[in-house]
Amino acid sequence: MSFDATYKEKKLKSVGTRPLRPDGVDKVTGRARYGADFNMPGQLVARVLRSPHAHARIMRIDVSRAVALKGVKAVITAADLPDLTNGNAALYAILDNCMARTKAFYDGHAVAAVAAIDAKVAREALKLIEVEYDVLPHVVDVDAAMAPDAPLLDENLFTQGIDPAPTTPSNVGNRSEFGHGDVESGFAKADVIVERSYKTEQTHQGYIEPHACVASCNVDGTAEMWVCTQGHFVYRQTCADLLGLEVSKLRVTSSEIGGGFGGKTHVWAEPLALALSRKAGRPVKLVMSREEVFRASGPTSQTSIDVKIGATKDGKITAALATLRYSSGPYADSWAETGAMTSFACYDLENVKTVGFEVIVNRPKVAAYRAPSAPMAAFAVESAIDELAHKIGMDSVELRIKNAASEGSRSSYGPIYGPIGIGPTLEAARTHPHMSAPLGKNQGRGMACGFWFNFGGQTCTDLNISADGTVTLAVGTVDVGGSRASLSLIAAEELGISYDDVKAVIADTSTLGYNDMTDGSRGTFSSSMATISAARNAIVTMRERAALMWDIPVEDVAWEEGHAKAVGASYDNRAPLSVKDIAAEAGNTGGPIAGHSELVADGAGVSFGTHICDVEVDPETGATRVIRYTVIQDAGKAVHPAYVEGQYQGGAAQGIGWALNEEYVYGADGRLQNPGFLDYRIPVCSDLPMIDTQILEIPNPNHPYGVRGVGETSIVPPLAAVANAVSDAVGVRMVHVPVSPPRILAALNAKAKG
Amino acid sequence: MRYERPGTIEDAVAMLAQASGRSFVLAGGTDLLVRMKSDDFDADLVVDIKAIPGMDEIAETADGFAIGAAVSCAELAENSALVSAWPGVVEAANLIGSTQIQSRCTMTGNLCNASPAADSVPALVAADARVRVIGPNGTRTISAQNIPVGPGKTSLEKGDIIDAILLARPQPRSGDAYLRFIPRTEMDIAVVGVAVNLTLGADGSVQTARVALGAVAPSVILSEEAARTLIGTKLEAAALGALEAACSAASIPIDDKRGTVAFRKQVAGVLARRAARIAYERAGGK
Amino acid sequence: MTSIAVSTTINGDDVEFLCRADETLLDVLRNRLGLMGAKEGCGTGDCGACSTIMDGRVVCSCLVLGAETEGREIETIEGMANGSDLHPLQSKFIEHAALQCGVCTPGFLMAAKALLAAHPDPTEKEIRFWLAGNLCRCTGYDKIVRAVQDAAAEMRGEGT
């Protein structure tokens, strides 16, 4: 059935209110079941043996002593996961990352796994596995990996995207380029040029729930998996591909998810749990330790970025250039490309060029982290813009407003923008009381903008109307931050019923059609589109049923405010039929009433935000406290404003942590020094102030209610906003994130020495 | 692993003395259980001392305070006499970990864990605390400073248990203070920690001083050079400058995940200056 | 292997269990007693997701041995509501949208309960420092702090 997704302005009753979330009681009473909170009969406990070396050839693995240990039911190595990837490099990277095949590429890379009757036996079994390594030279730093004499991770990697193609291998997987105009002529027109190099360190999503799953493979080729994931359909496909299972025979149920932020979009150990279950013939539970989460799952890229921006005296940018180097772990991916696309997306530029280099290093395979790759690029660009404003002697908000992209602007990555929110967020910042509040001693203020694409994708939804007129909404996008509440609001709005009469659930892979994962800020955007479509389909059916009940032509039945209404003078005395009235008669009018929807949600509106940050820096120690923080972002339409605010605040907090203290610290031996919450310092409650939010609503023309994705953009500006604030407070330009106390003190010492 | 909960100190000492393999005393467990989580750590015997009478008590005597080895750091803060006598020691102990950790962690455990960055240890050393050690050969009292000898290493011998930390009644016109540097506001291990304990003369000048530095050497440093910079002064700018320089000079830290050599040396001086001011004011100095 | 027999009180009920010497209270709650509200976020006392109250003080149950709980009184998230009546903190967390993924929520609620028992009228600063041992990666803490403030006011009888 065709679906018109065009935005139509109308008064909304449910959307925009703040009802209690449907999963709230379960979550405050300890009843919500997360990845590790599920057990199956006869289940075994799995553990993974991991490489202690940053780079080593695996010469021999002897598992015989582990296999012989009483209570051990299966031991697997890469030999138990034959390569079924058929030349698909991305899938091969996942396979090799799950279990090292010939070389261990990073400290923490899996080399073997066991399933045993309990954790104690599994732990003992790991110690009995003998692995002989040939330790190779390693490289963990993105710049060092690009040096001509760097140790090579892959002797067969020749940089793609360069013409002519290189004849010698390197650690650079590919080069990408975006932009338009001619930057050289643009710089020639500039009165002022800022040129600087920046660096950002690798961070982790830091979800509080470690990866966990329970897998059960049966001899008949069927299998089940319970897992914390952002995309159970994607996990099903990947696991089936890697293990040679038939996709529809693998049933994956997503647990409640204890945070993901992109880190639960890739499979990590789930294929191992399935392989162990297949070998042992029993269900297997695999839960990562916190140390394993840090060593072997999802960090973001470490980056090194050069930016050059030229402008006229009156603040018009004439040219902008960025070279971006992103580490991707041991397998080339497209993180630098995304960084290159987002770099200058906030601005309307005549001459712009960005070049990205994808660099492989001996660190864990990089995973998406909330607007992946954009925060680092924004740090570099927004720092340079800040410096440019200082150099010109112009207010930094004014400079940005003067150059902001707007409807009709050609973006630096290609497309022409529709209606967008960068200008309005900047105008809101200019007039926000935060911007003019006085600052005290040792305090500084910074601001920055950010952009994220947002994503739509494949979506499938079922809306079932029960006999009592209440509604079950089955969606396939995992609820990572309150989408069951927002989707229930959408269903209530479209059907014209009460929010309390809708119950949203996340369906498993066997009970609903395929859904892309919850990423790209698509959960509420795409599933709301499918929910509206499903609801409209249900309304078509309900009109038909009402027509039958009244015995009149369906053309004479309209749907208004949750009721079927007979239209026309001859039906004057017919009371409108509510959803409840129609549902009660469903058994006599054709059976169950449901609405289904399968669609590709196109037209996710791009999203922009502007952040303002005040800090206080102790000039004697470099200690930095964020004392005030404001997030201004375009939501398109805030379906459940409390959870939109939550997304703004959460992203800001993660960005503040990245800006100030979070980083992967490697030793000279290439081993991760801080794989735990003690020394990987995410913000604690006492580190942060209240985070003020301002929701702007510039409707997305491609969504019936104007909804845009809101989940990711909020992490994009904070690195620059914080660094600009610190730079303002200490009078030194901070170019290396995190701007940790040792870096601040070193910069102050250098300044004092002149 | 075997778990024992003896009812007397004699039994506890005997269990540890007779144990073969790796044995540990368990009080708050906030370090021991973290170590047990590691695949590389195995314990054969854990002796829980919390059932031994007196271990969970703060005894106030004519000489001062005897703080039982199982007294949690949270309980220290609830003892107003102790807080008023040794505010620096209590605030140092209260900086360890979170509210949850405070409910369980003990100063004796902090001392015996022998981490170079232990928060309460510089404060105890500045306070010239003693510990009562009960071992197979009887009871002895030794300086707290002599317990940690290097990262993770103590001078205690097999079968030894510290049953109490002893703090003297403070001198008139004295005060102590502890400051540490951490990047966040809570939950971090000290990057640098400095404790200062001062006694003033009738004229308000410093008569005796003890300055202890944490996280800048394999074990706590009691710097006599730093102390000397304060003697006879009223913490004038020159004296504080000399203290700062002496503390930076006395620090022999390493570069690690928590901080750099340069940062630690510089900040040790800064914190010493600030801690000295607080101690001075607590001692009644103006 | 010799298991240890332990008699303790959990949420007001007498409970007996067997555990190995090296099992933590968190292991016992989750794996032996079916009380899965306490979560293991780190296992090393850094995240607070396993917070429970032992003899009136909030502790990380990953840093308590099961054997140590002999004769103690343990409160877990499963005992926080009074039958079908939610504790004010539980209601306020839902009302203020103080949870997103919710995995840290049981730990925050136990820690906040201990806070309000000790300090019925805490300042924002006191709330933030008391809860510093409970990590939340979703909310930025803003709505959590507001929920605790509001619950405290309600428990003091001030209404909202």
Side-chain angles (χ1 to χ4, degrees):
Chain A
M1 216 168 295
S2 71
F3 171 62
D4 178 13
T6 315
Y7 171 69
K8 289 188 186 67
E9 190 173 353
K10 64 172 176 176
K11 182 113 181 72
L12 300 173
K13 275 188 176 166
S14 294
V15 168
T17 62
R18 302 175 179 236
L20 304 183
R21 62 190 298 155
D23 50 332
V25 173
D26 279 348
K27 285 181 173 174
V28 299
T29 54
R31 285 175 215 166
R33 288 187 303 169
Y34 295 83
D37 301 339
F38 182 80
N39 296 308
M40 285 182 75
Q43 130 195 320
L44 303 171
V45 174
R47 285 288 310 270
V48 178
L49 184 69
R50 297 182 181 277
S51 167
H53 305 295
H55 195 194
R57 194 169 299 284
I58 299 166
M59 308 303 287
R60 185 180 63 91
I61 302 182
D62 183 350
V63 301
S64 56
R65 288 173 65 213
V67 171
L69 182 67
K70 195 169 183 204
V72 171
K73 300 299 177 185
V75 182
I76 59 166
T77 66
D80 296 278
L81 291 162
D83 181 5
L84 306 174
T85 61
N86 289 324
N88 178 335
L91 194 59
Y92 181 83
I94 292 173
L95 174 69
D96 193 64
N97 188 53
C98 285
M99 187 73 90
R101 305 187 75 75
T102 56
K103 290 208 289 186
F105 281 113
Y106 56 91
D107 166 37
H109 200 164
V111 294
V114 305
I117 53 162
D118 64 26
K120 192 175 166 65
V121 175
R123 179 181 190 249
E124 281 172 42
L126 288 191
K127 295 182 180 180
L128 298 176
I129 299 174
E130 296 168 26
V131 186
E132 189 186 321
Y133 294 101
D134 177 20
V135 178
L136 303 168
H138 67 272
V139 60
V140 297
D141 180 74
V142 64
D143 289 319
M146 288 183 77
D149 59 346
L152 286 180
L153 273 74
D154 180 353
E155 292 82 2
N156 296 313
L157 185 71
F158 296 87
T159 310
Q160 294 184 350
I162 294 179
D163 191 29
T167 54
T168 53
S170 74
N171 291 323
V172 180
N174 58 64
R175 177 190 184 280
S176 56
E177 184 178 322
F178 298 89
H180 53 257
D182 174 11
V183 289
E184 287 317 313
S185 70
F187 285 122
K189 288 180 203 151
D191 300 315
V192 180
I193 288 177
V194 167
E195 188 169 12
R196 226 179 244 288
S197 297
Y198 305 87
K199 196 147 191 174
T200 71
E201 292 301 329
Q202 185 163 44
T203 55
H204 195 278
Q205 295 83 347
Y207 30 82
I208 307 302
E209 180 202 26
H211 299 271
C213 66
V214 182
S216 175
C217 279
N218 289 332
V219 288
D220 63 0
T222 62
E224 282 182 63
M225 185 159 67
W226 164 274
V227 59
C228 62
T229 171
Q230 289 173 246
H232 44 316
F233 290 91
V234 175
Y235 273 37
R236 177 184 64 164
Q237 185 70 48
T238 307
C239 288
D241 288 348
L242 293 180
L243 288 143
L245 300 170
E246 289 177 50
V247 177
S248 291
K249 290 188 179 173
L250 172 57
R251 180 178 192 173
V252 180
T253 304
S254 66
S255 68
E256 289 292 346
I257 178 172
F261 316 110
K264 290 175 183 168
T265 58
H266 300 222
V267 300
W268 305 99
E270 295 78 8
L272 305 184
L274 282 163
L276 283 166
S277 174
R278 184 162 65 180
K279 194 161 184 175
R282 283 168 67 170
V284 170
K285 184 171 191 170
L286 192 158
V287 181
M288 276 197 190
S289 68
R290 177 54 51 185
E291 181 183 315
E292 287 179 289
V293 170
F294 275 111
R295 285 171 73 204
S297 81
T300 184
S301 302
Q302 184 204 29
T303 73
S304 160
I305 302 173
D306 306 329
V307 175
K308 184 177 177 183
I309 305 180
T312 57
K313 285 194 295 273
D314 62 350
K316 185 70 197 165
I317 295 173
T318 58
L321 171 69
T323 305
L324 309 99
R325 307 163 201 92
Y326 279 56
S327 72
S328 65
Y331 317 100
D333 207 316
S334 56
W335 306 113
E337 187 177 331
T338 312
M341 290 172 80
T342 61
S343 303
F344 293 106
C346 293
Y347 301 105
D348 182 15
L349 302 171
E350 200 178 321
N351 305 296
V352 58
K353 178 175 162 183
T354 58
V355 179
F357 293 99
E358 194 71 22
V359 186
I360 62 171
V361 294
N362 294 113
R363 294 184 184 226
K365 183 182 192 298
V366 165
Y369 179 18
R370 203 168 199 158
S373 301
M376 307 82 131
F379 162 62
V381 168
E382 292 294 299
S383 294
I385 296 270
D386 195 63
E387 192 172 358
L388 185 68
H390 283 100
K391 224 166 167 175
I392 296 174
M394 195 169 171
D395 177 79
S396 65
V397 182
E398 295 298 336
L399 176 75
R400 287 179 170 92
I401 288 173
K402 193 171 179 106
N403 293 284
S406 57
E407 187 167 2
S409 297
R410 183 172 180 194
S411 67
S412 56
Y413 63 97
I416 308 289
Y417 287 129
I420 55 172
I422 179 65
T425 64
L426 281 163
E427 293 291 349
R430 174 160 62 181
T431 55
H432 196 286
H434 184 170
M435 215 60 201
S436 51
L439 287 169
K441 196 182 172 204
N442 298 323
Q443 296 179 352
R445 176 167 300 145
M447 53 88 60
C449 300
F451 157 86
W452 184 244
F453 306 97
N454 292 333
F455 180 60
Q458 298 183 67
T459 312
C460 180
T461 293
D462 277 357
L463 188 153
N464 290 294
I465 297 174
S466 305
D468 62 356
T470 60
V471 170
T472 307
L473 179 66
V475 301
T477 46
V478 171
D479 180 354
V480 298
S483 62
R484 274 166 293 191
S486 59
L487 296 174
S488 298
L489 283 169
I490 294 274
E493 185 75 53
E494 196 64 31
L495 292 171
I497 61 176
S498 160
Y499 169 83
D500 295 329
D501 285 340
V502 183
K503 170 75 177 169
V505 299
I506 312 301
D508 67 60
T509 60
S510 292
T511 53
L512 192 66
Y514 178 83
N515 277 264
D516 285 330
M517 62 185 114
T518 301
D519 69 346
S521 300
R522 73 178 286 273
T524 294
F525 169 75
S526 63
S527 277
S528 69
M529 202 109 103
T531 297
I532 293 167
S533 169
R536 289 179 184 176
N537 292 340
I539 288 170
V540 168
T541 303
M542 286 192 285
R543 282 177 52 228
E544 289 166 0
R545 301 300 177 85
L548 275 175
M549 288 165 70
W550 281 326
D551 195 18
I552 65 174
V554 68
E555 294 74 27
D556 293 348
V557 181
W559 191 264
E560 285 169 25
E561 302 197 347
H563 291 77
K565 287 184 181 165
V567 182
S570 57
Y571 309 131
D572 266 355
N573 57 354
R574 294 180 198 266
L577 294 171
S578 67
V579 174
K580 285 181 173 34
D581 296 334
I582 298 166
E585 286 300 312
N588 302 322
T589 58
I593 301 171
H596 308 283
S597 172
E598 302 86 27
L599 50 80
V600 175
D602 288 326
V606 293
S607 161
F608 293 89
T610 295
H611 292 198
I612 313 164
C613 173
D614 291 354
V615 298
E616 181 168 319
V617 182
D618 181 338
E620 293 188 322
T621 65
T624 302
R625 302 284 169 255
V626 174
I627 52 174
R628 185 168 181 184
Y629 203 96
T630 300
V631 178
I632 305 164
Q633 187 179 316
D634 172 21
K637 175 69 197 176
V639 179
H640 190 307
Y643 290 104
V644 173
E645 291 163 4
Q647 291 297 319
Y648 290 6
Q649 292 165 334
Q654 287 185 315
I656 290 168
W658 195 340
L660 288 179
N661 287 309
E662 294 178 35
E663 65 178 307
Y664 269 42
V665 180
Y666 281 91
D669 57 1
R671 298 192 67 178
L672 183 60
Q673 301 293 298
N674 57 338
F677 280 134
L678 183 62
D679 288 305
Y680 180 85
R681 296 147 163 165
I682 78 170
V684 301
C685 194
S686 49
D687 290 341
L688 295 173
M690 293 298 187
I691 297 171
D692 296 330
T693 58
Q694 187 176 347
I695 299 172
L696 302 187
E697 295 186 327
I698 294 122
N700 174 7
N702 303 313
H703 184 283
Y705 300 157
V707 171
R708 297 174 193 266
V710 298
E712 292 170 286
T713 308
S714 53
I715 202 176
V716 182
L719 279 63
V722 173
N724 286 340
V726 172
S727 299
D728 184 43
V730 302
V732 187
R733 177 58 51 185
M734 300 305 299
V735 295
H736 192 162
V737 157
V739 288
S740 58
R743 289 195 182 109
I744 291 172
L745 210 51
L748 282 167
N749 290 341
K751 178 188 162 198
K753 280 181 191 149
Chain B
M1 173 180 137
R2 197 156 60 90
Y3 168 86
E4 297 288 352
R5 186 171 44 228
T8 67
I9 188 77
E10 293 75 18
D11 284 351
V13 168
M15 284 171 187
L16 289 166
Q18 288 157 19
S20 57
R22 291 163 59 89
S23 51
F24 297 88
V25 174
L26 171 66
T30 52
D31 286 312
L32 181 61
L33 266 75
V34 172
R35 294 171 71 190
M36 284 169 59
K37 185 82 183 164
S38 163
D39 284 344
D40 302 326
F41 181 84
D42 283 300
D44 299 297
L45 171 67
V46 166
V47 178
D48 183 349
I49 58 169
K50 289 192 288 295
I52 299 170
M55 284 286 186
D56 59 352
E57 286 171 16
I58 303 172
E60 204 175 341
T61 65
D63 300 335
F65 298 87
I67 301 165
V71 173
S72 73
C73 288
E75 289 169 304
L76 300 178
E78 292 159 11
N79 186 307
S80 54
L82 183 66
V83 171
S84 130
W86 292 104
V89 170
V90 175
E91 72 197 2
N94 287 161
L95 284 172
I96 300 166
S98 59
T99 314
Q100 287 86 339
I101 301 296
Q102 284 288 309
S103 300
R104 295 265 294 162
C105 71
T106 67
M107 278 207 296
T108 303
N110 200 222
L111 184 65
C112 293
N113 191 49
S115 160
D119 280 308
S120 70
V121 174
L124 287 171
V125 169
D128 200 13
R130 315 271 145 169
V131 297
R132 190 163 64 216
V133 182
I134 302 178
N137 301 318
T139 302
R140 61 195 194 277
T141 299
I142 54 180
S143 169
Q145 190 193 346
N146 295 334
I147 296 297
V149 293
K153 290 199 174 61
T154 71
S155 59
L156 296 173
E157 289 174 12
K158 191 173 169 69
D160 282 350
I161 297 175
I162 294 177
D163 88 320
I165 289 175
L166 310 174
L167 284 166
R169 204 159 278 287
Q171 298 292 315
R173 291 189 304 278
S174 70
D176 73 333
Y178 173 80
L179 292 175
R180 68 166 183 193
F181 183 84
I182 55 171
R184 294 183 292 185
T185 50
E186 272 284 0
M187 300 306 289
D188 290 330
I189 303 293
V191 180
V192 183
V194 181
V196 177
N197 177 21
L198 301 175
T199 305
L200 310 187
D203 66 345
S205 65
V206 175
Q207 210 163 46
T208 67
R210 288 173 68 89
V211 179
L213 307 172
V216 292
S219 56
V220 62
I221 292 176
L222 181 68
S223 173
E224 289 181 23
E225 294 80 4
R228 266 200 296 275
T229 63
L230 300 178
I231 306 292
T233 76
K234 293 183 177 177
L235 268 55
E236 299 84 356
L240 289 173
L243 171 71
E244 183 171 357
C247 287
S248 293
S251 298
I252 47 166
I254 55 169
D255 281 325
D256 68 8
K257 60 191 171 190
R258 293 176 186 148
T260 61
V261 169
F263 181 84
R264 285 184 161 119
K265 285 175 79 79
Q266 184 170 348
V267 173
V270 171
L271 295 187
R273 181 157 46 72
R274 294 177 180 179
R277 289 273 358 150
I278 299 169
Y280 187 72
E281 279 163 27
R282 284 178 178 165
K286 298 251 165 25
Chain C
M1 190 190 307
T2 315
S3 286
I4 301 164
V6 179
S7 301
T8 187
T9 303
I10 299 180
N11 300 326
D13 297 324
D14 293 339
V15 174
E16 293 183 353
F17 60 83
L18 291 173
C19 71
R20 288 196 321 266
D22 59 359
E23 279 180 77
T24 65
L25 171 59
L26 179 61
D27 295 333
V28 168
L29 290 173
R30 290 182 56 85
N31 302 336
R32 294 191 182 268
L33 302 177
L35 296 172
M36 292 199 169
K39 309 299 176 192
E40 180 168 321
C42 68
T44 51
D46 301 312
C47 78
C50 66
S51 295
T52 54
I53 294 174
M54 182 161 77
D55 291 347
R57 291 187 193 273
V58 61
V59 298
C60 289
S61 59
C62 71
L63 294 186
V64 177
L65 292 177
E68 283 184 84
T69 65
E70 172 72 34
R72 305 288 194 117
E73 287 196 19
I74 312 290
E75 296 170 57
T76 73
I77 187 66
E78 287 86 354
M80 192 166 185
N82 181 13
S84 54
D85 293 334
L86 294 182
H87 187 280
L89 277 162
Q90 291 174 309
S91 303
K92 292 299 180 187
F93 264 58
I94 300 174
E95 203 176 295
H96 284 264
L99 54 123
Q100 286 178 32
C101 84
V103 79
C104 69
T105 307
F108 266 99
L109 288 168
M110 296 313 288
K113 185 182 177 192
L115 165 68
L116 298 186
H119 306 279
D121 190 7
T123 64
E124 181 189 336
K125 189 175 176 186
E126 283 169 335
I127 293 171
R128 288 188 179 276
F129 276 85
W130 184 282
L131 297 177
N134 292 84
L135 299 181
C136 169
R137 193 63 159 168
C138 293
T139 65
Y141 305 105
D142 182 304
K143 293 181 188 300
I144 291 175
V145 173
R146 291 180 200 276
V148 174
Q149 288 172 322
D150 198 8
E154 184 177 301
M155 289 166 71
R156 291 193 306 272
E158 291 170 17
T160 50

